[in-house]
């Protein structure tokens, strides 16, 4: 028996070789997933060097997030064809995970860009900025006959984010028909929109056109947005600009990044039609 034991490893020794805690080996034995090569009359478990490759299979499948129940089924019925089927299924999942991570990386980059833009933006000062065309998702056009209350707005907003799998809320902005603003009805919006940074999240439904935009960065709470709209409209009238149909309102910094409403920054823009 002593000679035989010298050919085998104790639970602790084998656990060290395969780099897992001993209790993992105990549990795998208990569920009949990976059993010791033999157990002596005192109940001590012993493992063989030949079991290293078998355990490596389990460890590899674990890294692929295969549940233990599926791993047990595989090792019990393993074959080249079942291995190929299992790997094909996991490859599809991993490919999708990689794409999701790339989307998250893109989201992070754009959050950084928008936040830095807001931090550098002059407060409540009108600018003319050339913007390239952007692919956007748009909600249905809402009736302008009455102002929307906050509950109604949030219902549309939550539904829009859910339908289009929008992960970061600041991607969603508001489009407001210019006639609504000219009539000073600041509690009404026409549509929701979201700039599509990821090409995988559903086809875009419209294009925010390229052109020169009148733009102002509103610093302060949403309740005071009318002040910045008024400044923007007065500037357009003074310079006799012909404006496009919609104002675009997009939050850059809100309670996601600051605890104070006075530190909110919202970008308001509208395209100039006559090319000035």
């Amino acid at each position: 028996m002593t000679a035989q034991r010298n050919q085998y490893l104790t639970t602790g020794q084998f656990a060290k070789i395969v780099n897992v805690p001993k209790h993992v080996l105990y549990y795998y034995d208990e569920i009949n997933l990976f059993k010791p090569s033999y157990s002596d009359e005192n109940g001590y478990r012993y493992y063989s060097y030949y079991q290293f490759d078998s355990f490596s299979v389990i460890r590899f499948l674990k890294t692929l997030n295969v549940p233990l129940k599926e791993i047990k089924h595989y090792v019990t019925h393993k074959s080249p064809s079942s291995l190929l089927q299992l790997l094909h299924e996991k490859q599809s999942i991993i490919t999708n995970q990689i794409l999701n991570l790339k989307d998250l990386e893109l989201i992070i980059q754009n959050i950084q860009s928008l936040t830095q833009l807001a931090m550098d933006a002059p407060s409540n000062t009108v600018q003319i900025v050339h913007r390239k065309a952007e692919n956007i998702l748009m909600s249905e056009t809402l009736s302008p006959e009455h102002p929307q209350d906050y509950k109604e707005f949030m219902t549309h907003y939550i539904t829009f984010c859910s339908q289009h799998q929008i992960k970061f809320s600041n991607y969603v902005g508001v489009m407001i028909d210019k006639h609504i603003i000219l009539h000073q009805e600041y509690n009404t919006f026409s549509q929701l929109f979201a700039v599509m940074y990821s090409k995988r999240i559903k086809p875009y439904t419209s294009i925010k056109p390229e052109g020169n935009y009148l733009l102002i960065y509103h610093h302060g709470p949403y309740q005071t947005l009318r002040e910045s709209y008024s400044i923007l409209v007065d500037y357009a009238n003074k310079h006799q600009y012909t404006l496009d149909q919609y104002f675009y309102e997009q939050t850059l910094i809100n309670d996601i990044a600051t605890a104070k409403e006075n530190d909110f920054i919202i970008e308001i823009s509208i395209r100039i039609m006559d090319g000035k």
Side-chain angles (χ1 to χ4, degrees):
M1 180 64 69
T2 301
Q4 185 183 22
R5 286 185 178 180
N6 289 337
Q7 301 174 24
Y8 290 92
L9 301 164
T10 64
T11 301
Q13 290 171 329
F14 191 78
K16 186 174 182 179
I17 288 175
V18 296
N19 195 30
V20 297
K22 287 195 297 183
H23 70 80
V24 171
L25 294 176
Y26 295 150
Y27 181 65
Y28 286 1
D29 182 16
E30 182 181 331
I31 64 174
N32 294 316
L33 172 61
F34 185 79
K35 301 190 74 64
S37 182
Y38 86 97
S39 298
D40 66 14
E41 62 277 7
N42 296 317
Y44 291 107
R45 301 170 173 86
Y46 293 93
Y47 294 84
S48 166
Y49 282 105
Y50 293 108
Q51 292 181 281
F52 179 83
D53 287 341
S54 297
F55 190 87
S56 296
V57 172
I58 296 173
R59 184 169 52 194
F60 172 68
L61 295 178
K62 281 280 291 177
T63 63
L64 297 180
N65 294 319
V66 180
L68 290 180
K69 184 177 180 180
E70 292 183 26
I71 294 176
K72 182 178 178 181
H73 181 270
Y74 170 75
V75 298
T76 306
H77 305 88
K78 58 186 174 183
S79 68
S81 59
S82 61
L83 175 63
L84 288 175
Q85 180 181 352
L86 178 62
L87 293 180
H88 176 73
E89 293 172 357
K90 295 306 170 184
Q91 183 180 26
S92 298
I93 293 172
I94 289 172
T95 298
N96 191 58
Q97 290 174 336
I98 290 172
L99 292 173
N100 285 334
L101 286 173
K102 287 182 177 179
D103 282 347
L104 288 174
E105 182 182 33
L106 195 58
I107 289 173
I108 289 172
Q109 290 171 350
N110 281 286
I111 293 171
Q112 291 173 324
S113 176
L114 291 174
T115 303
Q116 190 63 55
L117 174 66
M119 292 173 64
D120 296 339
S123 173
N124 302 325
T125 301
V126 178
Q127 306 174 61
I128 298 178
V129 178
H130 186 82
R131 291 282 173 86
K132 294 181 179 180
E134 293 180 302
N135 297 330
I136 60 174
L137 285 167
M138 292 169 54
S139 69
E140 73 280 3
T141 302
L142 303 175
S143 171
E145 295 179 358
H146 64 281
Q148 294 102 4
D149 59 24
Y150 187 70
K151 178 181 178 181
E152 184 177 1
F153 169 78
M154 288 304 299
T155 299
H156 287 293
Y157 171 79
I158 293 169
T159 301
F160 184 73
C161 289
S162 176
Q163 286 176 341
H164 299 293
Q165 303 174 22
I166 296 171
K167 297 182 176 70
F168 187 66
S169 60
N170 281 19
Y171 277 174
V172 179
V174 172
M175 296 171 61
I176 306 175
D177 190 290
K178 67 179 179 182
H179 296 100
I180 294 174
I181 296 299
L182 294 177
H183 284 88
Q184 300 183 0
E185 298 174 1
Y186 301 106
N187 293 326
T188 301
F189 67 95
S190 304
Q191 292 171 281
L192 296 171
F193 78 95
V195 178
M196 296 287 34
Y197 297 107
S198 170
K199 296 180 180 179
R200 292 199 313 123
I201 304 178
K202 296 189 178 183
Y204 62 88
T205 56
S206 187
I207 295 177
K208 184 180 177 183
E210 181 175 3
N212 292 325
Y213 283 76
L214 275 184
L215 182 148
I216 189 169
Y217 292 101
H218 175 81
H219 287 232
Y222 294 111
Q223 293 86 344
T224 60
L225 273 169
R226 63 179 62 217
E227 298 171 7
S228 291
Y229 275 107
S230 179
I231 293 172
L232 207 58
V233 170
D234 288 345
Y235 188 95
N237 290 335
K238 178 180 178 180
H239 293 84
Q240 299 181 341
Y241 290 140
T242 301
L243 301 178
D244 203 354
Q245 183 178 0
Y246 290 107
F247 283 90
Y248 295 88
E249 179 185 308
Q250 186 171 14
T251 298
L252 302 182
I253 292 180
N254 59 0
D255 48 9
I256 293 174
T258 180
K260 300 178 180 179
E261 287 191 352
N262 286 335
D263 293 332
F264 286 7
I265 301 177
I266 302 103
E267 178 187 287
I268 305 170
S269 63
I270 186 167
R271 190 166 68 116
I272 301 171
M273 292 295 294
D274 53 355
K276 292 184 179 180

